[in-house]
Amino acid sequence: MLLSCAKPQTMPNEAISCIHKYMLDFDICKCCIIRLTNGRCQQIDLLNVFHSQAYPDEFICKLCFGLLHNPYLCDIPRNLNESQNEMEFTNEEFDKYVLLYLYKELNGSRYQYTAYQLRVTEPINIILREQFLWDELICMSIDHVNNTSNSSTIEKLNNPQITFTKDDINALRSYAIPVKTAWKWIVDEKLSSLLKAPLIYSLRNDTELKLIKTNELIVNNSNYDQESNIICITVEFANFFIQSDYNEFLSYLERSPLNAIRSWLVRSKSIKIPRKRSRFHYEKELNMNPSEKELFKDEKVIEELTTKTLSSQTFNSNVNSSICNPYSVINIGYTLPKSFHFSRGLLTELIPLLKDVCLQSNYLRKISSSNCSPAFITSLEIVRSVPLYLAGRYVKLSRRLSQSPWIIGSQRKLDSSVEELITQPILPRFGANAQSCFITSGREDVDVRCLGLGRPFAIELSNYELLPSQIIQRWSVNNNLDVECNEDEPLDLLKLASFINSTTQGRVFIRDLQLVSSKSATAALKLGEMHKAKCYRAVCWCPQGGINTELLMKMLQYTTLLNRTNENIDHVNTIHWPPNKINSIKYGKIYFGPLDIHQLTPIRVLHRRPLLNRKRTIYHLCFMSYVETIGANIFEFDDFKSWSKLYPEDELFILEIRCEAGTYVKELVHGDLGRCNPSLASIFGRQLDILALDVIGVELDWPTRLKDPILN
């Protein structure tokens, strides 16, 4: 596809020709010249220049280090036709050409994809050398030569052909095309032919997303991200001149009289840039005898030899040359010496300050006659462009199970968690490199069950190998992808849910498992975390005789009785403990509400939560007699029966609460030493405690309800 750039200000053809001539004197390739001087350049224009240029093998552009002209960096050995495949290239070619190397690594990764993205990090000193180029061109401009007092008449007379100004140079640099963009334009056709998939430049471009080949069912379904079919190839390039270019750049900046640049220099020398640990295994790569291996176990020796080899820019055929081959464009694992600290972020801040500065570096002119080695690839990472989201609801049936792994220090407190029970069976089925992030609409404590329809959750899967269409075919009960379906119909994964349920030993049960879009998952879970109501049921203990009518009357000072059946009846007369039974219900209930409370962060979570005063609304409180409720022999209360063996039955009561999300229910009951105001303990003037708590409802209508999973 063709991509265009913004148009720079119009310049005379004579000025452009003059600038081209000076750039050629600096040993700059034609592709670099057109990307720097033609802001209207399109992909087809750059490709025409690329195919027209012919350089000897030893020529390397001083700006792009061969990225835009060297066949080993941006081309393949020969043209492809549809019948050609991997077997027609030799192993030597796979190790010599960057594009063939990318193709081999991607094919070996087992990722399934229908399109790909390409993210490129070019050598950082390309930016430095471009700055040197603009500086030298500004020094040659008409207004600079005429306004410089120490410029000799001979210099002016020797440059009668100069027709460009400093403003012309600044206009060009403002619209110059980056090397990484030009490189992607050049390799697009070749790499897409190898991978048999289109290159997607932007995930925000709907036209490009239509290039993704996938099943019609998936494309038209709003519960699915089309971008999930895309693989992302991240490539990082470097070269051996970064350190020397940086040193020259610092000395160049030190000549500046501007305080802003001097301030930048001070910051750049004081900030320590964190470095990634190298993935390069020296002992594995180096062909050494045992005595040499013992020597290289010392990290200081490795660092010294590596730094010496790379900084000198002279490459001897000794053991050190095996660390990084100067004649190869593939040096995976190469890292800069530890003494080198350089931040792209700092450099981005600096470049605008240099727009109108002319410091007469002459650096490119100095190195124009010296040899230049090509850039090489140092890092390759293959990942999914966007994560895949699975959503469902989980029912937690155990009171000894945390939601996430409970580890303090290095000691594990419980053998498993809800997150692990759900995600561990899933990950191996999505690929060896698949990773997950478990997201829920709120959380419950270790000793709290989650019943009813369960708590909504989402699993963010990254680096999954299968295409979503393959996932549907394998794990959906409606896996016939040939039939047309409604675009809003959920993409169920009920077979996978059944498999997970068979591995949890009855501690967790999941339902409504399905594919969802990232937008749906993040919006729904965030909404449910703080803006939806939740329902709880608890067994509470009230010592010194338990609940009575007198205590319930005190609730009227704070709230209203909700279960009045006749407005003319005095509500005071309807309060009675134990509650009166209504119709066929085997136990009575008394409802109060609503009630506004203020809760300071509870002491039990203060070590991990900020100290805040939270206002929460209790929509209703329902009091039930423990004796009558347990005596009704209803299965949902069976878990509460054991408490009668530890506490007198007449001191126990059952409490149901419907409250705003984010309410600390335990503290609502016992008061948390006065940090919850009011609390049931403060209202009754009695010590209260909560013995067992269940979440019985999360009022969030997401994800879509499905039929029950297939039971094995």
Side-chain angles (χ1 to χ4, degrees), residues 138-150:
I138 288 177
C139 291
M140 298 176 186
S141 62
I142 296 174
D143 38 7
H144 177 77
V145 172
N146 292 334
N147 295 331
T148 304
S149 59
N150 59 0

Side-chain angles (χ1 to χ4, degrees), residues 115-119 184 198-203 230-234 384-386:
Y116 71 99
Q117 274 190 299
L118 197 56
R119 296 177 183 171
K184 285 194 284 187
L199 172 61
I200 304 298
Y201 286 87
S202 173
L203 295 180
I230 303 175
I231 201 72
C232 181
I233 307 172
T234 302
R384 284 290 180 186
S385 292
V386 297

Side-chain angles (χ1 to χ4, degrees), residues 253 256-267 349-350 352-354:
L253 294 178
S256 172
L258 297 181
N259 291 331
I261 294 179
R262 292 185 176 276
S263 175
W264 183 93
L265 280 171
V266 172
R267 284 199 301 131
E349 296 177 16
L350 173 67
L353 302 177
L354 299 173

Side-chain angles (χ1 to χ4, degrees), residues 95-214:
D95 294 333
K96 287 176 62 177
Y97 290 83
V98 167
L99 298 189
L100 292 184
Y101 176 76
L102 299 182
Y103 170 58
K104 181 184 71 172
E105 292 297 313
L106 187 55
N107 275 2
S109 67
R110 300 177 62 183
Y111 282 108
Q112 304 295 320
Y113 56 92
T114 57
Y116 71 99
Q117 274 190 299
L118 197 56
R119 296 177 183 171
V120 182
T121 302
E122 74 273 26
I124 192 170
N125 57 331
I126 288 180
I127 304 175
L128 305 183
R129 291 200 172 190
E130 287 182 1
Q131 173 57 33
F132 288 135
L133 173 65
W134 299 125
D135 182 82
E136 296 196 28
L137 289 175
I138 288 177
C139 291
M140 298 176 186
S141 62
I142 296 174
D143 38 7
H144 177 77
V145 172
N146 292 334
N147 295 331
T148 304
S149 59
N150 59 0
S151 296
S152 64
T153 306
I154 297 176
E155 181 183 3
K156 297 177 184 178
L157 294 175
N158 289 338
N159 294 279
Q161 70 275 28
I162 294 178
T163 57
F164 58 88
T165 65
K166 183 172 69 173
D167 291 339
D168 293 334
I169 300 302
N170 286 331
L172 291 179
R173 76 190 298 178
S174 299
Y175 296 99
I177 300 171
V179 168
K180 60 182 179 182
T181 301
W183 187 78
K184 285 194 284 187
W185 287 359
I186 291 173
V187 305
D188 181 351
E189 181 181 356
K190 299 290 185 181
L191 193 56
S192 296
S193 298
L194 285 170
L195 301 178
K196 296 181 174 59
L199 172 61
I200 304 298
Y201 286 87
S202 173
L203 295 180
R204 299 179 181 179
N205 192 325
D206 293 336
T207 304
E208 289 191 4
L209 292 180
K210 291 180 181 179
L211 296 174
I212 302 176
K213 299 176 183 178
T214 185

